[in-house]
Amino acid sequence: KMLGRVLCMVLFVGAFPCPAGASQGHISVVLLGATGDLAKKYLWQGLFQLYMDQVSSGHSFTFHGAALAALEPGQRLMFDVLKKLSCHPDQAPNRCAVLKDQFLKLSQYHQLKTAENYTALNREIEALLRQEGLREAGRIFYFSVPPFAYTEIARLIDSSCRPPAGAWLRVVLEKPFGHDLESAQQLAAELAGFFREEEMYRVDHYLGKQAVAHILPFRDQNRQFLDPIWNRHHVERVEVVLKETVDAKGRTSFYEQYGVIRDVLQNHLTEALMFLIMELPANVSSAQEVVQQKLQAFQSLWGLERSSAVLGQYQAYDSQVQEELQEARGYVSTTPTFAGVLIRSDSLRWEGVPFLLTSGKALDERVGYARVLFKNRAYCTQSGTLRDAGHSQCKPKQIIFYFGHGALNTPAVLVSRNLFQPVMPKDSWKEAEARPDLHVFGQPLSDFYMYSPVKERDAYSVLISNIYHGRKDFFITTENLLASWAFWTPLLDSTSRQPPRLYPGGVENQHLLDFEMVNGGVAFTLAEPGQLLNAGGQMPSDFRAIQSKFRHSPLVSAWAEDLISQLASDMEEAAVRSVARSGQFHLALSGGSSPVGLFQRLARHHYGFPWQHTHVWLVDERCVPLTDGESNFLGLHRHLLQHVRVPYFNIHPMPVHLNRRLCVEEDGGAELYAKDIVALVANASFDLVLLGVGTDGHTASLFPRSENGLEGAPTVVLTESPVKPHQRMSLSLPLINRARQVFVLVLGKGKHDITTLLSRVGHEPSKWPISGVSPSSGQLVWYVDYEALLG
């Protein structure tokens, strides 16, 4: 029998026993995109490595290369690649030759284009199994194809090429997984219609790099040393860096769509950062426990804003885009090829510690690493000579996970000798030989305990092995993916029109891309040289806030981030004036997503805000427990209150949860809140009320045709929302209109239609409650960004 003969041929060289009679089942590996660049460079070599590693495991294999090309040309292209496969240098040449010959005989090409093609492949696999008398263990489908093809291929596999009951299916997906949160959600939903979560293996090849893959095991095996120092009291900062000397030439069609943040930071560098900052699960090999800790780490991160990043673009990029994409001469791209991003966490472990993620093309060296730099509390009185001794406490203290390339040109783990000697698994990591000529971050290697892999392995070989073993902890789950996109999408949106700094590339960059942490964000340390500036037309970010009228009231309009900056400054000014006048400032804030950026801005940049004299009230609240993710108060706490010093008794959440019940009228929560306002706020007149606007014209939790709150007494009311959670508590329109100042914040293209409508209608609060906002003796100011105002 063909398979049995091929597998048993190895007996002639005595490499391992024939698995005949002891088979654990047959595995069919289908590589879609078998003649593409990724397959040529990495995937076929990875599959060959899998075969060499597992041929004596008891499983039998066939490898099916597939593409859109017809049989003859596709087969020729594929076997041209297979003939160039190689073995590791420590493999015996005769054994390598036999295994390679077997691998080629077990590989075949298929044109997979139509439903009939997939049905034919399924029949062929089933026929082969019957002929050889083998049980099917499972099938691996590796999608090395563009993401736009994923859904249709998934449908065809699900309908025509699934293995039978009792055999597993593993579907391997390459990035990019979407372009932003919305597209990632859409792709995830489409794939979920065909595959179960446990069947999908989303590849981030950085998780296969040996230094990255060892971060969690290292933390686990060295808990005794790290537990006391892996926190904000001892860590100065964390850096995750990937620098490349190559540019984007030949890839500009991809790069114009994605840029460096989507290409590298949102996935590779974020995953490495998560391994460093997440809480260690009890079992670091449990995919479920690891992903839960990752999700908690994501939740602890501060939202990103435009000042969180510096962006650059190498000078030749525009001309490369013009040439490769046939863009008109003079075309100017704002796609960044360099980014430095500051990330912060509000977790107890990491609060105040800056995390710096940096990547770029056309830089001075090719290197990747994750570096934890510890605070140095020592003052050394000895002379410089003594201070240079290897264990001196005056030397920098750091742990470096070195991904490869650079000065070391190998994956490595380095620990400063003045920290501790780490525990490392001797079967996979060895202490590296001394190399006095090499330095890392200005220090000789002799200052470190340095370990390198016993056997270097390509990242894709590692990942393909883990797919075979069903190890999900090396792959990106849907929850993990969407959490990452939710974190990065606001920065991508806010910087989409920002002109990047131009840099010449390579060593000529000098200090042009150096950046520093300033006022809670980052900024380039050097002013941009005039000769590098593009002399083209104005960019949207060149425009500043404009002021005019909207609905007969003052209007402030700008791009979203500039608008939020102006609003935060105006709020601080109002607070300072109020405290000077009366000794206190009563501020009522709305919930929802629109003010999140404002809250973060106030927390990070407005240290002159008189929080000690500020009372914080809520405009409205959903009838859920205050610890629920839907709670307006919880959002306010996460993004603002826990970062500023508001006296405890000055914080006034709405009492929606009384007597273990939510918003029951007999419990009198609305009346209690109204009494508190009357007791504490002079004339029940807030100094400032911040409102938003819904797409239906609602404001606070006052909805069109609402039975309560649109007229009558200035009080607090229970209302009904058309969307869940339906029950709400809200300040009434008459109470809002008693305020000294009302600011209305409107952001995003999604609000353009309602903004246009409101510019034309009169006072009709029953239809559009926001139209009824008109302070009786105060001022109303509209803050509307360009997207909401102009579409």
Side-chain angles (χ1 to χ4, degrees), residues 564-719:
I564 285 172
S565 176
Q566 183 65 54
L567 174 55
S569 297
D570 292 349
M571 288 177 68
E572 180 177 344
E573 187 180 328
V576 170
R577 281 201 313 269
S578 177
V579 171
R581 182 181 64 250
S582 64
Q584 54 192 0
F585 178 57
H586 286 276
L587 172 65
L589 296 171
S590 292
S593 58
S594 290
V596 167
L598 171 66
F599 297 159
Q600 293 173 343
R601 179 90 194 175
L602 288 168
R604 298 179 192 181
H605 300 285
H606 290 266
Y607 299 106
F609 202 104
W611 293 113
Q612 289 285 342
H613 304 283
T614 298
H615 284 256
V616 178
W617 303 82
L618 266 75
V619 168
D620 65 327
E621 181 60 280
R622 298 174 171 97
C623 292
V624 295
L626 298 185
T627 54
D628 190 288
E630 295 275 3
S631 166
N632 285 345
F633 178 78
L634 181 63
L636 179 62
H637 171 74
R638 278 181 176 165
H639 299 296
L640 177 63
L641 295 179
Q642 67 176 336
H643 305 296
V644 296
R645 295 182 177 178
V646 181
Y648 176 80
F649 292 107
N650 287 11
I651 299 173
H652 308 282
M654 282 185 158
V656 293
H657 198 182
L658 296 174
N659 302 322
R660 300 184 181 179
R661 303 189 295 185
L662 291 166
C663 292
V664 175
E665 197 165 348
E666 300 85 71
D667 293 335
E671 290 82 357
L672 281 172
Y673 207 58
K675 286 178 181 176
D676 283 348
I677 292 169
V678 169
L680 295 172
V681 183
N683 301 318
S685 177
F686 290 106
D687 296 299
L688 175 60
V689 174
L690 176 71
L691 298 176
V693 180
T695 54
D696 60 353
H698 83 264
T699 192
S701 280
L702 304 171
F703 297 91
R705 291 170 292 281
S706 179
E707 294 180 6
N708 300 319
L710 296 179
E711 53 188 15
T715 187
V716 181
V717 294
L718 294 177
T719 67

Side-chain angles (χ1 to χ4, degrees), residues 286-320:
S286 165
Q288 189 172 4
E289 289 184 40
V290 168
V291 78
Q292 288 309 311
Q293 294 299 340
K294 275 191 192 178
L295 293 174
Q296 287 187 26
F298 271 118
Q299 289 170 4
S300 76
L301 300 181
W302 288 24
L304 296 173
E305 54 189 38
R306 194 166 69 187
S307 60
S308 304
V310 289
L311 304 176
Q313 182 192 95
Y314 64 84
Q315 275 182 285
Y317 181 76
D318 272 349
S319 61
Q320 291 172 353

Side-chain angles (χ1 to χ4, degrees), residues 359-504:
S359 185
K361 290 189 172 295
L363 301 182
D364 61 317
E365 62 176 337
R366 183 185 184 190
V367 68
Y369 59 84
R371 177 189 185 211
V372 180
L373 182 65
F374 292 86
K375 295 176 181 177
N376 199 328
R377 304 177 186 279
Y379 171 76
C380 297
T381 57
Q382 71 263 43
S383 68
T385 306
L386 290 170
R387 199 176 297 169
D388 286 340
H391 290 74
S392 169
Q393 290 302 307
C394 278
K395 287 198 168 186
K397 301 177 182 181
Q398 51 195 320
I399 296 173
I400 304 162
F401 298 93
Y402 203 88
F403 307 157
H405 305 292
L408 302 183
N409 201 32
T410 180
V413 176
L414 300 95
V415 179
S416 293
R417 289 183 179 272
N418 55 7
L419 274 173
F420 59 86
Q421 182 168 5
V423 175
M424 296 291 283
K426 292 181 179 177
D427 60 331
S428 53
W429 292 84
K430 62 184 179 183
E431 192 155 7
E433 298 174 7
R435 298 173 66 183
D437 57 316
L438 290 183
H439 287 67
V440 177
F441 298 108
Q443 289 185 264
L445 285 186
S446 57
D447 284 359
F448 299 92
Y449 296 107
M450 175 178 160
Y451 300 84
S452 58
V454 170
K455 182 178 180 180
E456 278 195 52
R457 299 195 65 189
D458 168 71
Y460 278 99
S461 296
V462 173
L463 292 174
I464 287 170
S465 174
N466 286 317
I467 295 162
Y468 164 79
H469 288 290
R471 285 197 60 180
K472 291 279 286 184
D473 50 320
F474 279 79
F475 299 89
I476 309 299
T477 65
T478 300
E479 282 184 299
N480 189 162
L481 172 71
L482 297 182
S484 181
W485 275 121
F487 175 68
W488 285 100
T489 296
L491 178 67
L492 292 165
D493 290 344
S494 67
T495 58
S496 62
R497 297 178 185 84
Q498 181 175 334
R501 165 170 290 196
L502 297 179
Y503 59 95

